[in-house]
Amino acid sequence: MANKLVMVDTSILIDFYRKTDKENFHWLLLVRQGYKFAISAITKYEIYAGATESQLQFWDTILTAIEVIPFGETTVDTAVAINSILKKKRKQIEIADLFIAATAIENNLPFSTLNKKHFERITELNIIE
């Protein structure tokens, strides 16, 4: 599985930022499994929208090493289809999470998150640990 690409959710990045013991976090487990990382453009937005001025340099450094997958029209179509299914089941999720999941599905990428409760509702999403 060396150098296989995985899309990580915002929760994985925030976990890395917050933990003082960087040896004990989810991202490191993925590194040890040989994964390279990608994020949705939506995740990039969430990170920078929530960052303080003092955090910007940290995020600039981290995100230069991570591929950012754009959010385009076909991803919107995927998100609409997923939302329709979730709506019928009365199990909709936040729109940002929906867009992030749609990006992973549209790009055929496995997905890693600490927020499994919401993302597990999307059967098309390949969630890895």
Side-chain angles (χ1 to χ4, degrees):
M1 186 168 321
N3 296 320
K4 185 167 180 170
L5 195 60
V6 63
M7 180 169 288
V8 292
D9 181 33
T10 312
S11 62
I12 301 288
L13 298 175
I14 297 299
D15 181 58
F16 175 72
Y17 176 78
R18 288 184 178 161
K19 287 202 176 172
T20 54
D21 178 11
K22 301 292 188 206
E23 291 297 315
N24 185 25
F25 67 102
H26 191 80
W27 197 354
L28 185 59
L29 297 174
L30 295 170
V31 169
R32 289 180 178 152
Q33 292 176 46
Y35 283 104
K36 298 288 183 189
F37 304 100
I39 60 171
S40 167
I42 306 303
T43 295
K44 182 176 179 178
Y45 167 79
E46 286 184 318
I47 290 295
Y48 281 108
T52 64
E53 189 68 32
S54 64
Q55 296 169 344
L56 293 178
Q57 184 177 4
F58 173 84
W59 289 117
D60 287 345
T61 301
I62 294 298
L63 295 182
T64 58
I66 298 174
E67 182 179 350
V68 178
I69 308 292
F71 185 76
E73 187 175 353
T74 58
T75 309
V76 170
D77 294 341
T78 299
V80 168
I82 294 166
N83 188 61
S84 177
I85 293 165
L86 295 176
K87 190 174 184 177
K88 287 176 186 171
K89 295 178 182 179
R90 296 183 182 197
K91 295 193 178 251
Q92 287 177 283
I93 61 175
E94 292 181 24
I95 195 160
D97 289 346
L98 176 66
F99 289 168
I100 291 167
T103 304
I105 292 167
E106 183 64 30
N107 289 277
N108 199 32
L109 291 172
F111 185 72
S112 188
T113 183
L114 299 178
N115 184 9
K116 292 183 187 133
K117 182 179 178 184
H118 287 161
F119 287 103
E120 286 179 335
R121 298 175 189 181
I122 303 170
T123 57
E124 303 88 350
L125 193 58
N126 176 19
I127 299 175
I128 61 166
E129 295 190 35

